């Protein structure tokens, strides 16, 4: 049993050509057919970034307007900036100064402590059929898939963890059935 817990675009690299090659699955008349594993190439991603910093310019100009979660959009942009004021979000932690985590910064952030870049899954009108297709191959050849692309949601780590739990539960159910059948 294997759980492939990676971004959808990496699944083909993990499984290799035996799953994605032109002869991976034969058509009903012996011709070539698309592999059901090609569904992973349909998942769309959006480049994202997150910055840990102490620059208050990512917050509202008036400090009285600061909240634990602050969202900002600019006209003409389809992206929003989310800044978490960590001092308010984690009141039990003693930060030495105001500390922020900004997702998709709309302007340059100063006093950066750490910056990370990643891909975030984007749900589209195709998502329901993509999720159905992924579910239809869960457990085939004893391979299970986990990632934020396997469930509805924001496409963040919480969804990845939920899909991992779901894949593990299915694996355990399938393994138990196989063991009982033997």
């Amino acid at each position: 049993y294997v759980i492939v817990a990676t971004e959808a675009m990496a699944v083909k690299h993990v499984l290799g050509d035996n799953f994605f090659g032109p002869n991976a699955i034969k058509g009903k008349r012996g011709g070539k057919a698309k592999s059901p594993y090609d569904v992973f190439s349909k998942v769309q991603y959006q480049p994202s970034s997150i910055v840990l910093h102490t620059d208050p310019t990512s917050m509202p100009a008036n400090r009285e307007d600061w909240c634990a979660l602050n969202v900002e959009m600019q006209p003409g942009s389809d992206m929003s900036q989310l800044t978490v004021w960590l001092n308010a979000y984690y009141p039990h932690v003693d930060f030495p100064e105001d500390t922020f985590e900004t997702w998709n910064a709309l302007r340059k952030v100063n006093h950066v402590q750490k910056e990370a870049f990643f891909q975030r899954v984007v749900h589209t009108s195709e998502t329901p059929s993509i999720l159905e297709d992924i579910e239809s191959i869960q457990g085939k050849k004893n391979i299970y898939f986990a990632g934020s692309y396997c469930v509805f949601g924001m496409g963040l780590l919480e969804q990845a963890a939920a899909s991992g739990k779901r894949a593990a539960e299915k694996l355990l159910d399938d393994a138990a059935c196989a063991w009982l059948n033997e």
Side-chain angles (χ1 to χ4, degrees), residues 20 32 42 49 55 110 118 134 138 156:
F20 290 90
K32 295 178 183 176
K42 295 179 183 176
S49 67
D55 183 356
N110 296 308
F118 58 96
I134 292 171
Q138 285 284 21
L156 300 173

Side-chain angles (χ1 to χ4, degrees), residues 52-121:
L52 180 66
H53 61 93
T54 58
D55 183 356
T57 62
S58 60
M59 298 293 282
N62 184 352
R63 188 178 172 99
E64 291 178 11
D65 295 332
W66 289 14
C67 298
L69 300 174
N70 302 270
V71 179
E72 179 182 341
M73 286 197 71
Q74 290 183 346
S77 175
D78 62 347
M79 294 287 294
S80 60
Q81 169 183 291
L82 172 65
T83 299
V84 180
W85 181 21
L86 296 175
N87 306 66
Y89 196 80
Y90 296 111
H92 58 282
V93 176
D94 186 25
F95 292 94
E97 59 186 307
D98 287 325
T99 304
F100 312 97
E101 190 175 82
T102 299
W103 181 23
N104 293 327
L106 295 173
R107 61 195 156 278
K108 184 175 175 5
V109 176
N110 296 308
H111 312 293
V112 173
Q113 296 174 352
K114 182 74 176 174
E115 186 169 14
F117 299 91
F118 58 96
Q119 297 286 329
R120 185 181 65 80
V121 70

